[in-house]
Each structure stands twice: as structure tokens, then as C-alpha cells.
Amino acid sequence: MQIRIVSFTKKGRELSERIEKAFPEHVFLRYKKGEDNLTEFTEAAFKGNNPLLFIGAMGIAVRTIAPFVEDKLKDPPVIVIDELGKHVIPILSGHIGGANELALSVAERIEAIPVVTTATDLNQAFSVDLFAKENNLEIVNREGIARTSMKALEGKPITISVQNYPPKNDVDVMVLDGLFIKSGLVVGVGCKRGKTTTEIQAFVDECLEMIGATKSDISAISSIDIKADEEGLIELSKELSVPFITFEKDLLEKVNGSFSSSDFVKSKVGVDNVCERSAVLARGKGAEILLKKQSRDGITVAIAGTKKDNKTIYVVGMGPGTEKLITPEAKEALDRADTIIGYTVYLDLLKNRYPEKEMLSTPMTKEVERCRICFREAAKGKSVAMVCSGDPGVYGMASIMHELLDEVNGNFRIKVIPGITAAMSGAAILGAPINHDFCVISLSDLLTPWELIERRLRAAAEGDLAIAIYNPSSRKRNDYLGRACSILAETIELNRPCGYVKNIGRDGETYRVCSMADLIEAESKGEIDMFTTVFIGNSQTRIIGDKLVTPRGYLSKPGVSNEKI
């Protein structure tokens, strides 16, 4: 254990040395007056959850720690010792932080008098927070500490249920599977009166799917105390065999964080948000919102957990990369991510939007290593997003991420978030070239033998499908589009209406409507590259104005009027 000591006088420093010698099993950091900043030294103790020993006046200690005191379940132990070493007084985090225990130990080793002021200790009464600490449990219903302690001080028996949930009778303390909620997800729920379990559960299932989780990942249901008798929520907790935890509005208001605020909700229940606040509060230390408030038919749901709970890796399609073509769901995943992983070109498109985020990349042809980096970073407790251009399920990383699940440990989940693939975004620019049956074929033979690509081209031509061609040409493959067109020309006329789009959604975006013969010429002039998507029409495709259009057949339906507009 690392312990920080603050002293200001010669006698204080001498006592510091005595304490250090008395505890050879611990590491001590000593405040050096004139060299260290006292505020920063104290803040470091709180951030690192290091015990803090003040040797001197209690007033100085209280004023120094005041800006950093946050929560009795999170704050580190703070002890004050007079500079003569006569009295040792724990002043913060006596039970959970262990200040009382440390004070007794210090007093014994330096032969001082411990001054413990905690009521349950003085009266030798049951202390629920000390019980939790001694049994390595995590408290999630913090308002129950005072209620249980008061009952113990009055000499009334304390009832505890271990493992059986829900308990047959009301109890003061519930211990689930040997612990309070220590891991897993908490689903916060708000709802109108009378919502059924079926309605609530169906919406909860949809929300879990949004983050790639399942019902087995849920550790608790949470809400506000006025919903404690809501039958739909009570029955849901029973069906899931997890506790239903409710909080008073005053406690919910004090939860730190950025939450979705509603004036209407506040007017009804006294706090601006129920589902997000209650979920974070119930999950406890280190909790964060994994799914923001979702609303439907009088039900609101949010999901909270810690980074260690979030074993979902998001495989995100960012479309062509332009801000306006990234979907809201993709933006949410990227906003949540601690680390974004991808090919360098794709990360460059996101750097301005997320300058503060960690970004990791591998070069072209290192896709498998890039995926393994995702699992390694997620195993560290980070929220990870793998980005792909277009859609991750169309020549993207979705399949390899799923394939690699077999070789990794840790019960990871893969959540694929679709994006707008080049066939869609390019077609929109050209007009409507794939408005009927179509196929997508890549001319890259890095992973697919050219012989197989040839078979697919011939099949597409024989089937009279409109074709979107990816990876049509590159410096090393500067004749592949011409070769493909030659194969198609065995079935398709060279004057077939076609088109291509370069740099979709990016600087330098251009498009051209042409014939298949023109495509061959354009490639030979270097006008078509890896950032170009090519479209080859079917037998019905026409050029209308400067757009490429493949009719669906609506105008040829029987009974359709030919009246001019």
C-alpha cells in the first residue's frame, strides 16, 4: 500500500519517520514543504485512492481535503495525528476506505491513543459498510447504510439474505451470489403506470441488442423509489433473477455525469432523468452510460456499466467518410469509444472530429493484426471501435472480427454498425444505376483468385444484372478494369450505358456517365483508381440528361397512364 504523509514542522517530520519505520511493509510518499504543492499532493492521493496522513492541526487537514471529498464509498482514508504523536483520529472513509482500521494500527505501533468517532464502532453495533468491506462486497444501495446502521444502534436485529433472490420476506441486507453488484450491466428503467412486464422486457431486449449485450449480462434493474411497487418492473426483476433497486429523487439528483434532461420528467417525479441516473448510481464505482436514454411508448431505458463490463467491440461503417453520411448510430459508437482502430486513411478522416481519442492503425494488408489489436485493447477495459469505410459487412472487417472470436478469450461481443457502402452513395450521385437487381464485384485479386472474379463477371452479364465494381484499378493493377470489360463484352455491347464516381463524399468528388468502351479508355488514361466506384448498367439502363438510370418498370405496368405532366 502507498501512503501519503503531510507534515509541516520538524516534530512532524520526525513523527513521519517513526511511522515509516513502524510500517516497513508499506511505501510512503512524504510531502516536502517548499517543494511540493499541497493541493496537488492531496489531489493525487484522492485520485490514486491512497491513504492520507496529516500530522498537525485538524483544521488544516479539513480545509485541504474539502475540495476533493466526493463520496463515502469512493474517498480514500484520511487520518489526522497531532505532532506529538499522542492521538490518531480517522476523519474520512472510516469503514469502506479503512481509515478506522489504519488508525488503530498506527496508534498501536507508535503507542498513541486512537480516537474513533463512528457510532457503530463506539457501540459495537453491526456496520453494513464494514461488513461489505470485510467480505469483499460492493454496496449499491448506499442510502440503506444509514437506515441499517440506525436499526443496529437501536438494538434491533439485522436480517440478511444470501443468494436467494427475491427473498421470501423483507430483509435489511441482500448478498447476491456472495456479493453485491460487482460486475455486469445495470438497466435503468422509467415508465408510465401500468406498463406490463412483456412491454418493458421487449424494449429492454432491443436496447441490449444496440450494445451487443444479452439478458445474461444484466446484474440489476434500477429506477426511482416511486416505482418500487410497479408490478411490471417487479416481475421483470423476478424473471431475470436480478435485484430491482430504487433510489430517492434527492440521491438521483446528486449523481455526477452528463445525463439526458427532461423538464417533463422533472415536473412529474422531481428529477430530470430516472433511467440514466439510477443505472449509474446502482452500478456504483467506475460506472458510465453505455447506452443513453431510449424512449418508446411511455418507457425509457438506459444501460450503465464499467469499461470492464463493456466487452462489446464496435465494428463501425463510416460510409465514404464525410460527416453528413456517417449514421447517428455510428457517431454514438465513435463518441463512446476510448480507442478507434483502423486503416490510416480512414483515421485521418476522423482526427479533426476526435482529436483527444487514442487512434491505432496498421498499414494495408495488415488487417488481421488490426483486428487482434481490437481484442487486446478491449481486454484492457477500453471501449473500442474498429472503423471501416463504407459498410463493414461489404468487403470490410465484420467477417474477420467474428472469425477471430474463436481464438480469443474474454467473452467479447461484436456489434456491427452498418454504413453507407460505395454502391449506394455512388449510385445516388450518378442517378439510379442499381434501381433493379444488381450485384457488387471487387476486382482486387489479393484475396480472391482472378479466375473466380472472371466467373462472377460472366455470371453477372448472363444474368443481366446491373454491376457495381469496387477496386477497379490501381498502380499495380492498372489494366484490371479493361480486362473485366473485355470479359463482359463477350455478352454485353460496348456501348452499354455506364458511369463512375471518384472520391465519393470527399474533396475532389467527380462523376462521369459514359459507355463501357469509355471505361476502358478512362482506365488507360489513369482516370480510374482505387477510390473510384464503377457502375455498369443492365440491358434496360439509360442515360437521362447527365444521369445513369436503370428503370424498375413502373411506367410499363398495365393501367399506368401515359399522360404528360
Side-chain angles (χ1 to χ4, degrees), residues 17-281:
E17 293 173 0
R18 282 180 58 198
I19 294 172
E20 288 185 33
K21 291 178 181 178
F23 289 89
E25 69 271 27
H26 298 319
V27 175
F28 288 83
L29 292 179
R30 221 187 299 175
Y31 167 73
K32 298 174 183 177
K33 188 176 180 181
E35 295 182 24
D36 296 327
N37 180 290
L38 181 58
T39 300
E40 293 177 356
F41 188 85
T42 303
E43 183 179 17
F46 274 75
K47 286 184 176 179
N49 201 33
N50 305 137
L52 189 58
L53 275 57
F54 277 89
I55 299 176
M58 185 178 294
I60 295 176
V62 171
R63 284 192 295 272
T64 302
I65 69 172
F68 309 110
V69 175
E70 180 183 356
D71 187 331
K72 67 182 294 179
L73 301 184
K74 299 178 181 179
D75 294 331
V78 179
I79 293 170
V80 175
I81 309 170
D82 65 276
E83 66 176 26
L84 296 180
K86 292 185 176 181
H87 298 92
V88 182
I89 311 168
I91 65 170
L92 186 69
S93 200
H95 287 161
I96 294 295
N100 290 357
E101 182 182 359
L102 181 59
L104 293 171
S105 183
V106 171
E108 180 182 6
R109 298 197 193 188
I110 67 171
E111 298 181 349
I113 299 172
V115 182
V116 177
T117 59
T118 314
T120 50
D121 291 83
L122 293 174
N123 291 277
Q124 297 183 338
F126 173 78
S127 167
V128 67
D129 45 353
L130 188 58
F131 168 78
K133 177 180 173 61
E134 290 174 345
N135 290 279
N136 194 32
L137 307 176
E138 182 176 345
I139 293 176
V140 295
N141 241 358
R142 66 191 66 203
E143 77 274 15
I145 298 173
R147 187 167 57 245
T148 304
S149 296
M150 184 61 69
K151 189 175 179 181
L153 290 170
E154 292 173 354
K156 297 177 180 177
I158 303 299
T159 55
I160 301 177
S161 173
V162 179
Q163 294 186 340
N164 294 321
Y165 186 85
K168 294 179 180 179
N169 303 303
D170 289 340
V171 296
D172 299 300
V173 180
M174 286 189 299
V175 182
L176 304 178
D177 293 328
L179 55 112
F180 284 92
I181 298 167
K182 200 170 183 65
S183 63
L185 306 178
V186 175
V187 178
V189 183
C191 64
K192 290 181 179 178
R193 281 290 177 190
K195 287 294 177 180
T196 66
T197 302
T198 301
E199 291 176 293
I200 299 171
Q201 184 161 353
F203 191 32
V204 167
D205 287 346
E206 289 183 23
C207 291
L208 289 168
E209 173 61 24
M210 291 180 191
I211 63 169
T214 64
K215 287 184 285 189
S216 63
D217 298 310
I218 300 175
S219 292
I221 305 292
S222 66
S223 193
I224 193 168
D225 60 351
I226 61 174
K227 293 295 178 183
D229 61 347
E230 190 71 50
E231 286 298 322
L233 294 174
I234 293 171
E235 289 303 314
L236 177 61
S237 74
K238 290 180 179 179
E239 288 187 17
L240 296 174
S241 295
V242 298
F244 174 36
I245 303 169
T246 61
F247 302 97
E248 299 172 358
K249 68 178 181 66
D250 292 342
L251 283 170
L252 294 177
E253 283 184 312
K254 294 176 182 177
V255 180
N256 292 324
S258 177
F259 303 109
S260 306
S261 179
S262 168
D263 292 334
F264 175 77
V265 173
K266 188 166 186 176
S267 70
K268 293 295 183 181
V269 299
V271 63
D272 63 354
N273 181 292
V274 170
C275 58
E276 292 179 352
R277 290 179 177 274
S278 68
V280 168
L281 188 56

Side-chain angles (χ1 to χ4, degrees), residues 440-457:
V440 178
I441 298 176
S442 169
L443 298 189
S444 172
D445 58 354
L446 288 175
L447 300 174
T448 306
W450 179 255
E451 293 75 18
L452 181 55
I453 295 173
E454 287 188 7
R455 285 172 52 199
R456 289 172 176 171
L457 288 167

Side-chain angles (χ1 to χ4, degrees), residues 368 372 375 403-409:
V368 175
R372 289 195 172 113
F375 290 108
E403 289 178 85
L404 288 175
L405 275 175
D406 289 337
E407 74 171 43
V408 298
N409 297 317

